[in-house]
């Protein structure tokens, strides 16, 4: 979730009481929560980054309620500023874009700009890994700007007055410590410099004092660097939308050194055309609307919409980075009309349903196990790989958030042993079972796993419960093929075999494993693959 907040009196001073009141009403259209204490706090879902500041939110409110439609106009060229991109910089942070914005002094919107930049860094930019945004006073940058690599021995002064070499900034400044690791540990780093070679910023770390902005800044130069092209163009149009919301003129400088396909990808993202199919609009609205009415609804949501043949043509502004296809456009039509105004429609089902055989059998298995005195539990399919020495756990996750959820399990009974260990204070016997999923040899398998903890819970106890369970679903002699089963005592464990088919495993847990879980009583288990049982018994 993304949260923005501001004192209510300041919002009223900036935008007027009528607009502030409409913030509450607009939440019912778009879907966000509003809370008012000392500040007016708005909590957004992450799908609408174009609304993550009060100026851009107010712009959309005015479009919806007052019909302030944007004229379809791509960003024009700023002939006064040129940017040269070196090949060396592209090898470190390969993607680059920039724009200028000029108007009146930023004034009271200065904090909104800084807050929005931080929000884009944390959301679109993934904490500056994918995108970093530098905002400069264009009257201080000069007309020729370079995106190049510089030596770590070059000196600079940061926006907050820290002076030193680039290397000292990266090692000693707070921002350097936070984001310096995003740059390669080599002799050179990327930098935005002016024509004289003075550093304006070190993407993605910090800006310099030389081009620092303040409340009196009128013309801005914004650089966007990153490691992901889509994220760079998203940040470009989201931040340019912020400036256009404040009536700034947004233009693109001449940029040399960027491949044509990258320039085209960024330029064509603004007002990209989508033709939502009429049959899908009617289907999800539940009624027929004239093209003119649909166009009005689309324009209320900020689109540029025109009559077309055979479909309406919708032009999506670049800042609507959430719109990926016609269904997103249709969803906005529904929001503009009001979900409460969509007519109810009876759903006709042409046939009667019946339980899936497998699910029906699982319910019967539950009844049998409960009848045998077991209690059903549920544990996570994602589990730990550190239950005990030698346990791999199945399919490993590449970047787990925690060791506790680092693998997709290939056995269920270690989870149940862990659960019993967490409930040692409860009286004995403890008899639990789980019907769950596991991943074995790349295949998802449904399994029944049962664990018994008692003062007498040897191999024979588990076998007796196994026989009682299987006798309910199939005929045939049960055979135990002795084998070393993970976590079990050698000679007291093996694979379960019936009708010459392996269906699971059984065993008595080894004392070393019991010690690892701090269990003082014997524990036995069996685990069977339900798919095998059902295929035999059906």
């Amino acid at each position: 979730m993304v949260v923005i907040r501001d004192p209510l009196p300041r919002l009223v001073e900036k935008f007027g009481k009528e607009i502030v009141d409409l913030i509450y009403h607009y939440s019912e259209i778009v879907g966000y929560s509003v809370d008012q204490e000392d500040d007016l706090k708005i909590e957004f879902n992450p799908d609408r980054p174009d609304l993550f500041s009060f100026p851009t939110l107010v712009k959309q409110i005015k479009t919806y309620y007052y019909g302030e439609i944007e004229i379809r106009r791509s960003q024009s060229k700023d002939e006064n500023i040129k940017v040269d991109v070196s090949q060396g910089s592209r090898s470190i942070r390969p993607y680059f874009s920039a724009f200028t914005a000029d108007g009146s002094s930023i004034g009271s919107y200065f904090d909104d700009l800084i807050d929005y930049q931080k929000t884009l860094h944390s959301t679109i930019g993934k904490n500056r890994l994918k995108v970093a945004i530098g905002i400069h006073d264009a009257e201080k940058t000069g007309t020729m700007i370079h995106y190049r690599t510089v030596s770590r021995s070059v000196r600079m002064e940061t926006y907050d007055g820290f002076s030193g070499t680039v290397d000292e900034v990266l090692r000693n400044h707070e921002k350097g410590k936070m984001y310096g690791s995003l740059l390669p540990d080599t002799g050179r780093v990327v930098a935005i410099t002016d024509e004289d070679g003075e550093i304006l910023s070190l993407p993605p770390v910090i800006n310099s004092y030389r081009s620092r902005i303040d409340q009196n800044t009128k013309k801005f130069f914004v650089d966007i660097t990153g490691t992901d092209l889509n994220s760079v163009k998203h940040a470009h149009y989201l931040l340019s939308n912020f400036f256009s919301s404040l009536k700034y003129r947004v233009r693109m400088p001449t940029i040399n050194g960027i491949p044509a396909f990258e320039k085209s990808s960024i330029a064509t993202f603004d007002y990209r055309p989508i033709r939502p199919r009429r049959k899908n609009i009617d289907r999800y609205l539940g009624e027929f609307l004239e093209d003119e009415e649909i166009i009005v609804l689309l324009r209320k949501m900020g689109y540029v919409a025109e009559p077309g043949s055979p479909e309406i043509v919708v032009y999506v502004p670049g800042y609507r980075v959430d719109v990926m296809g016609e269904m997103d456009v249709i969803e906005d039509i529904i929001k503009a009309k009001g979900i409460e105004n969509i007519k109810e429609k009876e759903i006709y089902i042409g046939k009667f349903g019946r339980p899936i055989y497998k699910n029906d059998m699982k319910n019967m298995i539950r009844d049998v196990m409960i009848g045998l005195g077991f209690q059903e539990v549920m544990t996570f399919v994602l589990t730990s790989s550190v239950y005990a020495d030698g346990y791999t756990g199945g399919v490993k996750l590449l970047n787990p958030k925690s060791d506790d959820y680092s693998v997709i399990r290939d056995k269920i009974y270690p989870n149940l042993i862990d659960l019993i260990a967490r409930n040692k204070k409860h009286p004995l016997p403890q008899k639990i079972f789980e019907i769950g999923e596991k991943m074995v040899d790349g295949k998802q398998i449904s399994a029944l796993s049962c664990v018994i903890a008692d003062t007498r819970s040897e191999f024979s106890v588990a076998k007796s419960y196994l026989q009682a369970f299987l006798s309910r679903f199939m005929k045939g002699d049960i055979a135990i093929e002795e084998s070393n089963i993970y976590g079990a005592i050698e000679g007291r464990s093996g694979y379960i075999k019936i009708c010459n088919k392996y269906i699971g495993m059984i065993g008595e847990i080894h004392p070393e494993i019991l010690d690892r879980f701090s269990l003082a009583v014997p524990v036995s288990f069996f685990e069977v693959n339900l798919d095998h049982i059902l295929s035999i018994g059906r």
Side-chain angles (χ1 to χ4, degrees):
M1 294 291 183
V2 176
V3 176
I4 62 173
R5 65 176 74 221
D6 216 353
L8 187 61
R10 188 159 68 181
L11 289 174
V12 172
E13 181 182 352
K14 284 182 179 179
F15 306 112
K17 187 176 185 308
E18 184 177 353
I19 291 294
V20 172
D21 289 342
L22 288 176
I23 289 176
Y24 293 90
H25 296 291
Y26 194 59
S27 67
E28 300 173 0
I29 306 299
V30 176
Y32 55 79
S33 62
V34 185
D35 187 24
Q36 181 183 338
E37 295 178 355
D38 295 333
D39 294 346
L40 183 69
K41 183 179 77 171
I42 303 178
E43 187 172 303
F44 293 98
N45 290 321
D47 61 336
R48 287 296 301 271
D50 59 301
L51 303 180
F52 292 170
S53 73
F54 283 105
T56 56
L57 174 62
V58 168
K59 172 186 175 180
Q60 295 303 313
I61 288 174
K62 289 180 177 179
T63 300
Y64 185 85
Y65 290 103
Y66 302 149
E68 293 188 6
I69 309 294
E70 277 191 304
I71 300 173
R72 182 186 166 204
R73 182 187 296 122
S74 297
Q75 292 178 3
S76 59
K77 289 287 185 181
D78 188 340
E79 302 292 346
N80 297 321
I81 293 183
K82 293 180 173 59
V83 183
D84 183 67
V85 178
S86 73
Q87 289 304 307
S89 64
R90 289 178 57 78
S91 66
I92 298 175
R93 288 183 75 83
Y95 301 110
F96 178 88
S97 186
F99 65 86
T100 62
D102 58 280
S104 57
S105 300
I106 191 73
S108 61
Y109 296 102
F110 178 82
D111 290 338
D112 295 285
L113 173 59
I114 300 303
D115 289 343
Y116 194 48
Q117 179 193 25
K118 291 177 181 177
T119 300
L120 294 183
H121 275 156
S122 62
T123 54
I124 299 294
K126 302 301 180 186
N127 288 325
R128 307 193 189 186
L129 172 63
K130 289 187 173 183
V131 163
I133 301 165
I135 306 177
H136 312 268
D137 188 330
E139 294 179 351
K140 302 175 183 177
T141 61
T143 58
M144 188 66 204
I145 296 171
H146 297 270
Y147 178 43
R148 56 167 62 148
T149 62
V150 298
S151 169
R152 289 174 177 258
S153 62
V154 174
R155 298 190 65 82
M156 68 172 293
E157 183 180 3
T158 65
Y159 71 92
D160 54 356
F162 180 94
S163 295
T165 64
V166 168
D167 190 58
E168 289 171 341
V169 170
L170 295 178
R171 286 189 292 107
N172 300 324
H173 193 279
E174 178 186 3
K175 298 294 185 183
K177 294 176 183 178
M178 292 174 64
Y179 304 112
S181 60
L182 299 177
L183 292 171
D185 188 16
T186 61
R188 300 184 71 82
V189 297
V190 289
I192 308 291
T193 70
D194 63 12
E195 190 171 6
D196 298 326
E198 294 288 334
I199 294 177
L200 303 178
S201 68
L202 290 176
V205 181
I206 197 166
N207 280 5
S208 77
Y209 189 87
R210 182 178 180 83
S211 58
R212 188 174 73 162
I213 62 173
D214 55 34
Q215 292 183 338
N216 297 316
T217 303
K218 297 180 179 180
K219 184 172 183 178
F220 296 84
F221 172 78
V222 179
D223 67 79
I224 303 107
T225 63
T227 57
D228 178 75
L229 179 57
N230 282 333
S231 299
V232 167
K233 65 186 179 185
H234 290 174
H236 176 110
Y237 285 108
L238 287 167
L239 198 58
S240 62
N241 176 57
F242 176 92
F243 283 105
S244 66
S245 299
L246 300 178
K247 307 303 181 184
Y248 279 70
R249 180 174 58 164
V250 178
R251 295 178 291 172
M252 293 185 68
T254 301
I255 303 176
N256 299 315
I258 293 180
F261 83 91
E262 288 183 26
K263 290 183 180 180
S264 175
S265 177
I266 294 174
T268 57
F269 193 69
D270 198 18
Y271 294 108
R272 57 199 185 277
I274 292 179
R275 290 178 178 266
R277 287 168 287 185
R278 184 70 209 217
K279 65 177 182 180
N280 287 337
I281 295 176
D282 296 342
R283 174 188 176 191
Y284 290 104
L285 280 175
E287 62 178 306
F288 176 83
L289 296 180
E290 296 292 341
D291 284 0
E292 292 77 7
E293 187 175 353
I294 293 174
I295 288 173
V296 169
L297 294 174
L298 286 166
R299 289 176 177 172
K300 289 179 69 173
M301 298 303 288
Y303 298 97
V304 176
E306 299 172 353
S309 178
E311 311 288 359
I312 295 171
V313 184
V314 180
Y315 295 97
V316 184
Y319 60 81
R320 286 300 303 272
V321 300
D322 59 300
V323 177
M324 294 180 286
E326 68 166 346
M327 296 312 300
D328 296 306
V329 175
I330 294 172
E331 180 184 7
D332 274 353
I333 295 173
I334 294 172
K335 288 179 178 179
K337 182 175 175 59
I339 294 177
E340 70 281 1
N341 297 321
I342 304 298
K343 295 180 180 178
E344 294 182 3
K345 186 177 181 181
E346 184 177 352
I347 299 175
Y348 173 72
I349 301 176
K351 56 183 179 181
F352 293 100
R354 62 179 181 181
I356 297 173
Y357 171 73
K358 185 175 180 179
N359 291 342
D360 213 16
M361 291 301 297
K362 285 181 179 179
N363 289 332
M364 292 180 63
I365 290 169
R366 287 188 176 93
D367 291 341
V368 171
M369 295 309 302
I370 292 171
L372 292 172
F374 284 76
Q375 180 179 0
E376 184 175 15
V377 298
M378 292 182 68
T379 58
F380 293 112
V381 175
L382 285 179
T383 186
S384 173
S385 62
V386 293
Y387 275 135
D389 294 337
Y391 180 68
T392 59
V395 180
K396 291 185 178 181
L397 303 186
L398 287 178
N399 297 298
K401 296 292 186 184
S402 166
D403 287 338
D404 293 332
Y405 305 100
S406 58
V407 293
I408 302 174
R409 65 186 180 188
D410 60 357
K411 306 172 185 66
I412 299 178
Y413 64 87
N415 295 38
L416 303 189
I417 296 171
D418 181 52
L419 187 63
I420 284 179
R422 296 171 186 271
N423 290 273
K424 291 190 293 288
K425 62 182 181 180
H426 292 289
L428 298 174
Q430 288 194 38
K431 301 190 295 183
I432 60 175
F433 77 95
E434 178 177 356
I435 298 174
E437 305 300 310
K438 61 182 181 179
M439 188 72 72
V440 181
D441 297 329
K443 296 181 180 179
Q444 182 176 330
I445 294 175
S446 298
L448 165 69
S449 186
C450 303
V451 171
I452 307 104
D454 200 359
T455 53
R456 292 183 57 83
S457 182
E458 58 269 8
F459 173 85
S460 59
V461 173
K463 185 177 179 182
S464 65
Y465 282 117
L466 172 66
Q467 290 173 322
F469 165 71
L470 290 177
S471 65
R472 176 65 180 80
F473 294 96
M474 60 186 64
K475 297 179 180 179
D477 294 332
I478 301 171
I480 307 296
E481 187 176 290
E482 185 177 332
S483 182
N484 292 332
I485 303 298
Y486 165 74
I489 301 172
E490 185 177 355
R492 300 186 193 178
S493 62
Y495 290 106
I496 306 165
K497 194 174 181 182
I498 190 168
C499 299
N500 293 319
K501 191 169 186 178
Y502 293 102
I503 64 169
M505 63 193 80
I506 186 171
E508 183 178 341
I509 298 300
H510 198 284
E512 290 183 0
I513 304 298
L514 297 179
D515 288 341
R516 179 176 286 269
F517 285 97
S518 301
L519 289 170
V521 296
V523 176
S524 59
F525 75 95
F526 70 85
E527 184 166 313
V528 293
N529 294 345
L530 297 183
D531 295 328
H532 294 166
I533 292 176
L534 298 181
S535 64
I536 295 172
R538 191 168 185 175

